[in-house]
Amino acid sequence: MAGRLQRRFVIGDGYASYWGPSGENVQHRHAAFQVTVAVEGEVVVTDESGACHRGVALIVPPMVRHHMSAAPYLRTWFVEPQCSFAAGLRARCGAGITAAADLYGLRDEDVRFAGAPGSSGTPDPRLMAAMEALARRDIQVTEAAAEAGLSPQRLRALARRQLGMPLARWRIWQRLARAARALIEGQSIAEAAVTGGFADQAHFNRQLREMIGLTPATVLPMLRSSASRSDVDGD
């Protein structure tokens, strides 16, 4: 039991996972599908309307504002919307929080290659090309659109239709992932903010709270507890 309840944090290709205790958080919405599994009892998530959702496993779609109740130990995956694994999640839950008891045994291996280019269910290849350009370099959406052979308007429309969010939101998620890696590697919160591409530490703080419901100071112990193990970038 002790080994199973050890904290771990993994950042992979198109996903991240955290296994460990969950504290109270504020209302937030993230640019990824969230799949949360309760090791014991239930996951409890409250949406923006105040409706309470319970289950041994819940799926929260991207951009759905919610907060999760504290729990002693949860297994949580964040799956980016361009991934093939996300296509299956999108098909089953639409725009709402959905119980998914069959995902109780979900493992990192199940989503490890979810971001592979050309996988079934991934978005338009031109949108994927633009997203890859935005992830690699600090360029404007107009430049990424040109590289992908699209007009900026067409690129934005594809992103909203196929990802369910503006590209700007997805890009912030990518910056948060870079900042998280920097924190794991030992950078201070201020240094990680710069590495992630945020204007300053206060900007990093606001964006993390908006997308995760927590501050960098709260997240830092979760990340550092895994840094001494082989769970970071474990794929």
Side-chain angles (χ1 to χ4, degrees), residues 35-117:
V35 180
T36 299
V37 175
V39 173
E40 297 177 358
E42 293 182 313
V43 183
V44 180
V45 175
T46 304
D47 65 26
E48 190 173 19
S49 72
C52 185
H53 304 261
R54 296 174 177 269
V56 295
L58 295 178
I59 304 170
V60 182
M63 307 306 291
V64 172
R65 193 171 292 280
H66 66 284
H67 78 267
M68 190 161 57
S69 298
Y73 196 89
L74 296 172
R75 304 196 304 265
T76 298
W77 286 264
F78 296 101
V79 184
E80 294 182 18
Q82 76 275 13
C83 298
S84 57
F85 192 84
L89 300 177
R90 184 179 295 110
R92 67 186 295 173
C93 66
I97 297 171
T98 303
D102 59 300
L103 294 181
Y104 181 82
L106 187 66
R107 304 168 301 163
D108 284 346
E109 289 77 7
D110 298 323
V111 297
R112 177 167 290 173
F113 301 108

Side-chain angles (χ1 to χ4, degrees), residues 17 87 93 100 103 125-126 142 158 162 234:
S17 65
C93 66
L103 294 181
R126 297 168 298 173
T142 52
L158 273 176
Q162 297 190 358

